[in-house]
């Protein structure tokens, strides 16, 4: 059993429900890494995709599928300014790591897109990509969600860097991330996200996020921070009350948190549910633990 499965045994408990919707889950990588990946996370066998294999006859083209995944990923992140060039996908995912991708048959895609939480502009772009795929000779599934992480130099530690889902009402993001972290056999997870990113609702389901770096001005997206999940430590139940609620756009407060971290005065954690809404505004629940 992997560390994530031992830590969160029920995180993929809605897999049968997701499969009943027609979803299929793929593990995309290359054959040289296959022995090091868990292809049956939470007991669910992922469909293997080797991006270098041009001989396997699935009835549809692997390259076209991965290109659709890449394009949908870029649209999903919208104006955050982090679309993924094709070479990045090869060099940073498919060669050293793997992507776990959820996809639907083409006949089901439009319905899911119309009920997603994305804005009209993103939906228009995604619909155009789908229409282009239909007009080509590609008849394979359409990616609707994905998770990517990269191996770290620290043993057992992975760096998550892309979580997206068009279907936000069925627990797909949580299940997808759980499957991926089990496939990677991760013991710790580091990542960079933004205080205003709705993915915090998923990330904090995997335990409180220790804020390693409270502000990353070098990052493309404002309000970015570095977090870590440790799946080898006991789960704390119940979670404490937050010390304060952080405005995602209060960059001055974030810089003050970073100074306190650098001075080793405090440790900060983002608590579940990641975002709290008060009087129409979104805040991030923060636990502050002063150094003893």
């Amino acid at each position: 059993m992997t560390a994530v499965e031992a830590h969160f045994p029920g995180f993929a408990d809605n897999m049968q429900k997701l499969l009943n919707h027609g979803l299929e889950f793929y593990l995309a990588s290359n054959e040289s890494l296959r022995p090091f990946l868990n292809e049956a996370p939470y007991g669910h066998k992922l469909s293997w995709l080797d991006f270098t294999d041009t001989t396997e006859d699935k009835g549809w083209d692997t390259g076209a599928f991965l290109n659709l995944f890449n394009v949908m990923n870029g649209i999903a992140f919208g104006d955050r300014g982090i679309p993924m060039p094709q070479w990045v996908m090869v060099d940073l995912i498919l060669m050293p790591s793997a992507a776990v991708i959820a996809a639907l048959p083409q006949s089901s895609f439009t319905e899911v897109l119309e009920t997603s939480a994305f804005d009209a502009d993103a939906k228009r772009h995604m619909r155009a990509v789908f229409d282009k795929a239909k007009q080509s000779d590609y008849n394979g599934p359409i990616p609707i969600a994905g998770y990517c992480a990269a191996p770290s130099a620290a043993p057992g530690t992975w760096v998550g860097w892309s979580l997206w889902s068009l279907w936000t009402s069925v627990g797909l993001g949580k299940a997808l991330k759980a499957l991926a972290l089990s496939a990677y056999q991760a013991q710790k997870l580091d990542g960079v996200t933004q205080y205003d990113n709705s993915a915090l609702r998923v990330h904090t389901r995997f335990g409180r996020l220790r804020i390693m770096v409270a502000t990353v001005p070098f990052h493309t997206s404002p309000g970015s921070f570095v977090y870590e999940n440790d799946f080898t430590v006991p789960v704390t139940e119940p979670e404490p009350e937050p010390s304060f609620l952080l405005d995602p756009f209060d960059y001055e407060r974030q810089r003050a948190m970073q100074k306190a971290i650098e001075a080793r005065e405090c440790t900060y954690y983002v608590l579940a549910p990641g975002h709290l809404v008060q009087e129409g505004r979104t805040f991030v629940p923060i636990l502050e633990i002063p150094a003893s």
Side-chain angles (χ1 to χ4, degrees), residues 20-235:
N20 289 342
H21 284 295
L23 280 165
E24 186 161 0
F25 293 83
Y26 296 87
L27 183 62
S29 184
N30 69 88
E31 194 67 30
S32 68
L33 298 186
R34 196 169 187 179
F36 306 100
L37 295 165
N38 173 23
E39 291 185 55
Y42 286 88
H44 176 72
K45 187 73 168 70
L46 302 176
S47 297
W48 174 253
L49 286 181
D50 183 345
F51 86 102
T52 68
D53 189 353
T54 59
T55 62
E56 183 184 6
D57 184 13
K58 300 181 300 299
W60 46 270
D61 181 63
T62 298
F65 175 83
L66 292 173
N67 181 62
L68 281 171
F69 164 75
N70 192 17
V71 173
M72 291 293 190
N73 175 285
I75 297 171
F77 279 98
D79 61 2
R80 293 186 183 276
I82 45 178
M84 184 164 45
Q86 204 85 346
W87 70 266
V88 171
M89 187 175 187
V90 173
D91 288 14
L92 299 185
I93 303 176
L94 299 173
M95 283 299 296
S97 181
V100 176
I101 304 169
L104 278 173
Q106 293 191 19
S107 58
S108 305
F109 177 78
T110 302
E111 180 182 353
V112 169
L113 180 60
E114 294 308 322
T115 58
S116 79
F118 282 88
D119 61 32
D121 191 50
K123 288 181 182 180
R124 186 177 70 253
H125 286 303
M126 291 175 184
R127 197 177 297 111
V129 172
F130 175 56
D131 289 341
K132 185 176 180 179
K134 281 199 306 181
Q135 291 165 10
S136 71
D137 57 1
Y138 176 75
N139 62 353
I142 304 296
I144 67 162
Y147 184 79
C148 307
S152 166
T157 299
W158 287 69
V159 180
W161 58 280
S162 180
L163 171 65
W164 65 280
S165 173
L166 300 188
W167 214 350
T168 55
S169 59
V170 293
L172 177 56
K174 181 190 78 171
L176 192 71
K177 184 172 180 177
L179 291 172
L181 293 176
S182 179
Y184 300 141
Q185 304 184 73
Q187 295 180 331
K188 291 183 179 181
L189 177 71
D190 294 346
V192 179
T193 190
Q194 296 74 46
Y195 293 105
D196 68 320
N197 194 330
S198 60
L200 276 181
R201 295 184 178 276
V202 175
H203 296 321
T204 52
R205 297 291 297 273
F206 290 80
R208 62 176 68 170
L209 307 180
R210 180 175 179 176
I211 299 176
M212 309 300 287
V213 182
T215 179
V216 189
F218 185 68
H219 196 279
T220 307
S221 296
S224 292
F225 69 99
V226 179
Y227 67 87
E228 182 172 85
N229 282 124
D230 188 343
F231 306 123
T232 67
V233 300
V235 178

